[in-house]
């Protein structure tokens, strides 16, 4: 006789609920743990699905941490036509599973988690690789990711004063400037090379449609967080830059397939989870190539789920076997 299945529940967490539970320091801690688990081989990341569709890009990132009973995936992509519909082009959903049974435990809106965990990863890169006392930053992009990365940079770089930003249209973005009014000295930069040359830190957070600045603009000692290249064929950095830099990645194999490292896969690189605390040579150019790990999404989603359960948030529904 078949045993009677135990009662099962499924928690649903929508975007506003998730966003309210994403405390920046806690997100950074979860992402740092994910990087360490990954580099120690204690977390598994499964092959990435990344497919070009007629309407956009669709992908799946999945993984597990057996010792922590963590299993799940994020389906995500980019649908540019959503802007014309009044919606967000980036769409992401995260599902956490019980590894013992395969049953789903929670379905979460993944948009806010994606932005927060990517920006947290960038903040970790800034803390570990940017020169202490960095005062000037050049930001490419003014969208959701760019805003999240700038907000984190302002949190973790206490000496940061001047922010120059570049847009793909070559025009100022009034809404972006309003969002950061009073938080830093923010200035539109009409010439990308001039802005890069005047900066200690560069963050590229664009759709990765092409090279954003010239190789000669990068001064010794500059640190670059490269965010936009996350698919084959995408790039933001100029030819020859990686060969001049110390290259740090979130995942070696994935970066060489999808990130900036795809353009120079033969170059040596270090995973950020394995980065030692050795002093940074002041004249060294450093690049952190962020492609995004499933373990980042899952670690942050687990944190959000625990907070939601503790506070009684979300929609808890029966999910029969």
């Amino acid at each position: 006789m078949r045993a009677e299945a135990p009662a099962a529940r499924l928690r649903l967490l929508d975007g506003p609920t998730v966003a309210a539970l994403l405390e920046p320091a806690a997100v950074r801690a979860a992402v740092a743990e994910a990087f360490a688990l990954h580099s120690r081989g204690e977390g598994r990341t499964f092959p990435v699905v990344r497919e070009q569709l007629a309407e956009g890009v669709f992908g799946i990132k999945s993984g597990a941490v057996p010792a922590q009973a963590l299993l799940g995936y994020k389906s995500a992509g980019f649908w540019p036509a959503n802007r014309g519909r009044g919606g967000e082009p980036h769409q992401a959903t995260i599902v956490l599973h019980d590894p013992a049974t395969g049953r789903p435990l929670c379905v979460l809106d993944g948009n806010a988690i994606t932005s927060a965990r990517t920006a947290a990863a960038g903040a970790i890169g800034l803390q570990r690789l940017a020169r202490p006392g960095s005062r000037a930053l050049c930001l490419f992009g003014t969208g959701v990711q760019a805003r999240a990365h700038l907000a984190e940079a302002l949190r973790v770089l206490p000496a940061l004063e001047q922010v120059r930003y570049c847009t793909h249209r070559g025009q100022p973005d009034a809404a972006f400037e309003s969002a950061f009014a009073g938080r830093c000295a923010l200035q539109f930069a009409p010439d990308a090379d001039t802005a890069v040359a005047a900066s200690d830190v560069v963050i590229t957070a664009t759709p990765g449609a092409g090279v954003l600045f010239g190789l000669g603009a990068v001064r010794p000692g500059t640190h670059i967080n490269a965010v936009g290249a996350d698919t084959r064929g995408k790039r933001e950095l100029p030819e020859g830059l990686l060969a001049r830099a110390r290259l740090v990645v979130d995942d070696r194999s994935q970066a060489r397939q999808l990130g900036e490292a795809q353009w120079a896969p033969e170059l040596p690189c270090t995973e950020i989870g394995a980065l030692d605390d050795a002093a940074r040579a002041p004249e060294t150019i450093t690049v952190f190539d962020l492609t995004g790990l499933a373990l980042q999404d899952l670690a942050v989603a687990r944190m959000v789920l625990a907070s939601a359960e503790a506070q009684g948030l979300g929609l808890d529904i029966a999910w029969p076997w």
Side-chain angles (χ1 to χ4, degrees), residues 10-314:
L10 177 67
R11 191 172 294 265
L12 307 178
L13 298 175
D14 63 13
T17 303
V18 170
L21 296 172
L22 291 171
E23 196 281 317
V27 174
R28 285 197 298 275
V31 171
E33 180 187 22
F35 284 151
L37 286 168
H38 177 68
S39 291
R40 293 199 302 261
E42 296 175 28
R44 296 180 62 195
T45 52
F46 307 138
V48 174
V49 174
R50 193 76 172 172
E51 296 295 335
Q52 186 71 47
L53 309 176
E55 302 82 4
V57 178
F58 176 71
I60 296 175
K61 291 182 176 179
S62 55
V65 183
Q68 297 185 3
L70 183 60
L71 173 69
Y73 68 88
K74 180 178 76 174
S75 63
F78 186 75
W79 283 261
N82 284 1
R83 291 193 182 97
R85 303 183 179 105
E88 168 56 45
H90 294 91
Q91 290 296 314
T93 302
I94 297 173
V95 182
L96 297 178
H97 289 263
D98 175 7
T101 65
R103 297 282 300 170
L105 300 173
C106 185
V107 178
L108 308 89
D109 181 284
N111 280 10
I113 287 177
T114 299
S115 294
R117 64 82 152 152
T118 308
I124 292 167
L126 296 178
Q127 289 174 317
R128 298 182 184 180
L129 293 167
R131 286 179 295 181
S134 292
R135 299 176 59 189
L137 182 149
C138 176
L139 175 67
F140 287 86
T142 59
V144 172
Q145 283 287 349
R147 294 182 185 210
H149 279 267
L150 179 53
E152 278 290 86
L154 291 169
R155 292 187 184 104
V156 302
L157 295 178
L160 186 60
E161 297 175 345
Q162 178 70 52
V163 176
R164 299 173 177 86
Y165 74 96
C166 302
T167 64
H168 72 282
R169 294 189 181 90
Q171 298 293 328
D173 185 327
F176 177 73
E177 293 186 8
S178 176
F180 287 93
R183 300 172 66 180
C184 60
L186 189 63
Q187 178 184 357
F188 169 68
D191 184 79
D193 283 3
T194 300
V196 169
S199 299
D200 304 300
V201 172
V202 177
I203 299 175
T204 60
T206 76
V211 172
L212 299 172
F213 53 86
L215 178 62
V218 183
R219 293 183 296 121
T222 302
H223 171 67
I224 300 167
N225 272 356
V227 182
D230 59 1
T231 304
R232 289 182 181 87
K234 284 189 175 185
R235 76 181 309 172
E236 296 176 309
L237 307 185
E239 181 73 27
L241 177 59
L242 297 186
R244 291 177 51 194
R246 181 186 186 189
L247 177 59
V248 178
V249 300
D250 46 16
D251 176 82
R252 188 176 290 105
S253 175
Q254 188 169 286
R256 287 169 173 166
Q257 294 178 43
L258 306 176
E260 288 292 339
Q262 69 182 284
W263 303 104
E266 75 287 352
L267 292 177
C269 58
T270 303
E271 290 186 350
I272 194 159
L275 197 64
D276 60 35
D277 294 326
R280 179 194 197 279
E283 297 301 301
T284 299
I285 297 170
T286 52
V287 174
F288 182 26
D289 186 7
L290 296 84
T291 55
L293 301 180
L295 296 185
Q296 292 172 249
D297 297 304
L298 301 184
V300 175
R302 177 179 57 186
M303 178 200 74
V304 169
L305 173 58
S307 296
E309 289 177 334
Q311 299 177 45
L313 300 177

